[in-house]
Amino acid sequence: FTGQKLRDFSGKMRVGEFYRQFSSRSECIELLEDIRWAEGRPICPYCSSDKNSAIPSEDRHHCNNCHTTFSVTVDTAFERTRLDLQKWFAVLVMILDPYSEPSGREISREVGINKNTACRINLKVRRLMHEEEHRTMLVDLVRRLEDRVSYAE
């Protein structure tokens, strides 16, 4: 993946493209569920049970085994984030672009987020890339993002 499909001719990130492709948080969650639960059945991150019920109004699931609720974002970079997932997706494409190494200020300017938030996300993603499970999910996510955006053009 190159990240180039998601930039305009001046090299600026087209964050609006993520909002056109993923107009709601639910659409972002759907993509994450497709990646994380490829078998099609959500797995409880607390007890590993696949016996659960969807709570669509909250983008969550209720585990019928341990009686907790969970979302696809548990144990991922997106857990407990207040930042829109569309912006997260744009930041990921920037950070995982092998041809650039954006600074926190560049991410902040291009995505429209606070510089400190951009630095924290940058650090978090780079740390997670050292863990196989997270690296696999993040790379797969970026590939799918680029494919989805390039087909829409």
Side-chain angles (χ1 to χ4, degrees), residues 44-61:
C44 176
Y46 305 110
C47 72
S48 301
S49 171
D50 67 348
K51 294 175 179 24
N52 53 65
S53 308
I55 308 171
S57 62
E58 299 177 22
D59 291 324
R60 297 182 69 78
H61 298 270

Side-chain angles (χ1 to χ4, degrees), residues 28-146:
C28 298
I29 294 290
E30 251 179 63
L31 178 61
L32 290 174
E33 286 179 350
D34 286 347
I35 293 169
R36 189 149 184 219
W37 299 320
E39 317 80 39
R41 192 85 181 126
I43 306 294
C44 176
Y46 305 110
C47 72
S48 301
S49 171
D50 67 348
K51 294 175 179 24
N52 53 65
S53 308
I55 308 171
S57 62
E58 299 177 22
D59 291 324
R60 297 182 69 78
H61 298 270
H62 176 269
C63 178
N64 297 324
N65 188 44
C66 68
H67 305 291
T68 59
T69 64
F70 62 93
S71 142
V72 69
T73 61
V74 172
D75 293 335
T76 69
F78 314 110
E79 184 173 19
R80 296 186 179 170
T81 186
R82 289 181 286 179
L83 188 65
D84 290 347
L85 287 175
Q86 294 95 327
K87 287 187 178 184
W88 257 104
F89 290 176
V91 171
L92 281 174
V93 170
M94 288 181 70
I95 293 172
L96 298 182
D97 180 351
Y99 300 106
S100 71
E101 198 169 306
S103 68
R105 285 189 190 275
E106 288 173 297
I107 293 169
S108 169
R109 187 174 43 253
E110 289 195 31
V111 179
I113 59 177
N114 178 286
K115 175 185 64 82
N116 294 335
T117 301
C119 289
R120 272 195 309 276
I121 290 173
N122 197 352
L123 215 62
K124 186 176 195 174
V125 170
R126 292 187 189 286
R127 191 173 52 244
L128 290 174
M129 288 301 285
H130 293 286
E131 300 172 22
E132 181 65 31
E133 180 184 344
H134 291 288
R135 180 176 49 248
T136 302
M137 188 189 86
L138 293 173
V139 168
D140 191 16
L141 175 60
V142 169
R143 282 194 179 120
R144 290 190 192 203
L145 290 170
E146 287 190 334

